Amino acid sequence: MGVLSNLKPTESELEILQILWEKGDCTVRDVHEILGKNKDAGYTTTLKLMQIMHEKGLVTRDTSSKTHIYKALINQQKTEQQLVTKMIDNVFNGSAARLVMQALGNHTASKEEIDSIKKYLDELGNK
């Protein structure tokens, strides 16, 4: 199952990866400030998490300057695919349809998102 099967990022590590995927290279302070908008986490906690992520091979760290710069080492799309596949297998007994119905039933999707999903399903049907 690729890199992720060995690494298994925790929920907190995934939050940091999301920031690195969206913002690109970041310092611990950059990540900490973004995390702080949604949850109360101490700077040292963020630093420790990112050091552990570096040891696990989830991120790389540029130490050439005084302020270390972190970058995600794992690919967002592949990570998302592997996590969804694992969830479908473990939670939905292998049924992608049940996952989709549960997701759409619990969240209000915008008209644009629904249209995008319909287009995607049409493309899948034409393969």
Side-chain angles (χ1 to χ4, degrees):
M1 209 156 94
V3 169
L4 193 65
S5 60
N6 300 333
L7 298 175
K8 295 185 180 81
T10 65
E11 193 173 322
S12 295
E13 290 169 347
L14 280 170
E15 287 176 359
I16 291 171
L17 285 169
Q18 292 281 358
I19 293 167
L20 293 174
W21 287 328
E22 186 181 330
K23 303 289 182 194
D25 301 358
C26 290
T27 64
V28 174
R29 176 126 347 256
D30 295 335
V31 171
H32 175 69
E33 286 173 5
I34 295 167
L35 281 177
K37 293 176 185 172
N38 299 319
K39 64 192 252 180
D40 189 26
Y43 176 82
T44 52
T45 303
T46 305
L47 173 62
K48 185 70 181 159
L49 263 173
M50 292 179 74
Q51 288 171 336
I52 291 167
M53 291 172 71
H54 179 257
E55 290 166 15
K56 287 172 82 173
L58 295 170
V59 297
T60 185
R61 179 173 63 194
D62 178 357
T63 58
S64 60
S65 64
K66 184 175 171 244
T67 307
H68 296 178
I69 305 293
Y70 286 79
K71 176 181 188 166
L73 271 180
I74 59 175
N75 176 282
Q76 181 175 9
Q77 187 175 1
K78 282 183 183 167
T79 302
E80 289 171 349
Q81 285 172 346
Q82 289 169 340
L83 288 170
V84 168
T85 299
K86 187 176 175 192
M87 184 185 299
I88 289 169
D89 290 344
N90 295 343
V91 180
F92 296 96
N93 295 328
S95 172
R98 283 183 51 207
L99 170 76
V100 171
M101 288 185 278
Q102 187 68 28
L104 291 176
N106 287 341
H107 300 285
T108 308
S110 68
K111 179 171 177 2
E112 291 78 18
E113 287 174 317
I114 297 287
D115 288 345
S116 178
I117 292 166
K118 284 179 183 174
K119 182 179 176 210
Y120 181 71
L121 291 175
D122 286 344
E123 289 169 5
L124 281 178
N126 292 329
K127 282 187 177 179

